[in-house]
Amino acid sequence: MKTAISLPGAIFEKAEALAQQLGMSRSELYTEALKAYLRRYNKEQILAKLNEVYSKESSELDPVMEKMQYLSLPREDW
């Protein structure tokens, strides 16, 4: 999909230089940069939701589940 965006001149020039250095088109560079930003943003949203849940709920293991986990794991000497 084609789109038009406005960028500050300095950012545009740095992006052009980086695209050339990496041997990719401007579109490829912007696509990869946006994908990386979206992955980061998604991780931050997931972390925020988890923090919200665990601020209200205990993260302690159920005693029965803890015992089962202990019994199912091999013993290791540290």
Side-chain angles (χ1 to χ4, degrees):
M1 173 174 288
K2 287 190 176 214
T3 187
I5 60 171
S6 298
L7 300 171
I11 298 293
F12 177 81
E13 294 300 325
K14 288 179 182 179
E16 287 290 297
L18 182 59
Q20 186 175 14
Q21 178 185 343
L22 297 174
M24 58 179 29
S25 71
R26 184 185 315 142
S27 292
E28 290 171 319
L29 177 69
Y30 292 167
T31 298
E32 291 304 312
L34 188 52
K35 284 178 6 184
Y37 181 82
L38 291 170
R39 278 192 305 270
R40 178 177 165 211
Y41 182 78
N42 188 39
K43 288 177 186 176
E44 289 173 0
Q45 293 296 320
I46 291 170
L47 180 59
K49 293 283 186 190
L50 286 171
N51 287 337
E52 180 184 337
V53 167
Y54 285 112
S55 71
K56 299 172 188 170
E57 299 288 332
S58 172
S59 62
E60 295 291 320
L61 283 176
D62 177 275
V64 174
M65 294 298 289
E66 185 175 16
K67 179 80 172 180
M68 290 173 64
Q69 182 181 31
Y70 175 78
L71 293 173
S72 69
L73 294 175
R75 306 247 188 272
E76 291 185 9
D77 293 327
W78 289 71

